[in-house]
Amino acid sequence: MNIAIVGSGVIGLSVACRLASAGHHLTIISGQPSSETTSAVSAAYWGPYFVGHYHRSWAIETWQELYQIASVPELARQSGTSIVEFREWLGEEDQSKFEEHLHGSVKQVHDPAEVSLKEAEPYWWRELPGIDFQRSPLVPSQVIHFPDIGDRVFISQLQFRSVVARMPDYLRFLQTKAESFRPIAFEHRWIDGFSDLLGRHDFVINCTGWGAKRLVQEDPSTAKMRLLAGLVVRVEAPDQRFAFSLGHGVFAKEPLYIVPRQGSRIDSICGGTAIEIHGDVDPRNPFPLDIDERCEKIYHRCAAASDSIRDGKRCENLAGLRPMRDAVRIESDPINARLIHCYGHGGSGLTLSWGSANRVVELIS
Ligand SMILES: Cc1cc2nc3c(=O)[nH]c(=O)nc-3n(C[C@H](O)[C@H](O)[C@H](O)COP(=O)(O)OP(=O)(O)OC[C@H]3O[C@@H](n4cnc5c(N)ncnc54)[C@H](O)[C@@H]3O)c2cc1C
């Protein structure tokens, strides 16, 4: 079939790989080159985070695929993926809340296969093969002096492994992989609606991420897409070997993370923020935020937490918009079933990418 995919971020390109391998003729239409999408800015590691309702199988299928890619040295090199040890520290005051998260609230979820950020335990994935999740006390306890909030004391550590993708490399890898099955036509342009494309293709797949807020007229009483700005600082810090994050207590709203990446460059992404951007955002003119000022704060926090970051070379500030819905939307359009929506992945686009692509293939079948 002739299929148009709108969007060339991690979702559009993962869908392209699956559809190209199934033998379809593809056209990818995108306002931005892949290298300028939100996906390219992403940290990006596997781990459900800042995301509405989704199906666990989407995350699990993606974990399996990414783990497989990152485990084969040649594929890991080509794709900029690596298996990285993550360390997350908890303060004394975070313990009880954390226990609740870890053990308590999963029962509130009606369908155990489905997860919503507010209801379910955030570490449901800790038993997956390869993750190797552990929790241990920090002896002695550790103190970090932050420039903005002063001394914080940490008493325990979560440790696990995840796959990190250096996204500029990984997006190129996805495109090359998709094109290895058959040639793909690319059109670099913005669209204002789908009707023209539906007239010329058997199916149209909407993978426009945050662009869907403008493009799709959803019923505001049942669906609401929020745009959460993520700002990060890229630092070349070859000595940063493990990923580090703080996301509980005072760090819940303004998390701190350092994610080291391998690939065409060895660098780390320092984050982060989740600032809601209100109003009608035009994809062509994104950021109504003072990026530099906020990135300054992010950098100094991360430099306080890691000597390797402090001693590294600060390279650039980056910004992207996480498309956050109450639920990730993967379904046929209720009016025209030849239009398939696949957007709203929030802070988990990489994490849900292969599972989402698999669902799109099922819908087409
Ligand atoms: C700072 C930050 C850190 C993150 N870290 C992680 C992480 O560690 N792990 C993780 O899983 N996720 C992470 N995310 C989230 C992840 O980046 C997103 O979920 C993901 O990028 C969404 O991918 P997408 O392909 O749907 O959208 P995008 O990458 O935004 O791509 C959308 C595409 O649609 C095109 N488009 C939009 N509107 C139109 C239009 N009208 N006409 C034509 N083309 C259009 C765009 O040009 C683009 O090609 C992070 C995000 C940010 C901002």
Side-chain angles (χ1 to χ4, degrees), residues 85-129:
E85 182 194 312
F86 277 67
R87 297 178 192 172
E88 194 173 322
W89 284 3
L90 298 172
E92 199 160 28
E93 66 276 24
D94 310 332
Q95 299 292 316
S96 57
K97 189 89 189 138
F98 178 74
E99 292 298 336
E100 223 175 88
H101 275 233
L102 199 60
H103 301 297
S105 41
V106 73
K107 290 182 205 74
Q108 293 169 16
V109 182
H110 303 302
D111 175 353
E114 299 209 339
V115 176
S116 146
L117 187 69
K118 288 192 204 78
E119 292 171 330
E121 53 175 343
Y123 297 91
W124 63 263
W125 39 265
R126 62 188 183 275
E127 309 278 331
L128 290 178

Side-chain angles (χ1 to χ4, degrees), residues 51-54 58 325-330 343-346 352 356:
V51 62
H53 217 62
Y54 63 96
W58 306 344
R325 279 177 101 251
D326 290 347
V328 179
R329 186 176 191 200
I330 309 180
Y343 65 87
H345 293 79
L352 303 175
S356 301

Side-chain angles (χ1 to χ4, degrees), residues 280-297:
D280 184 22
V281 180
D282 183 333
R284 280 149 274 198
N285 184 23
F287 268 93
L289 276 185
D290 184 345
I291 297 176
D292 290 341
E293 195 179 303
R294 289 172 192 269
C295 284
E296 193 69 13
K297 184 175 164 194

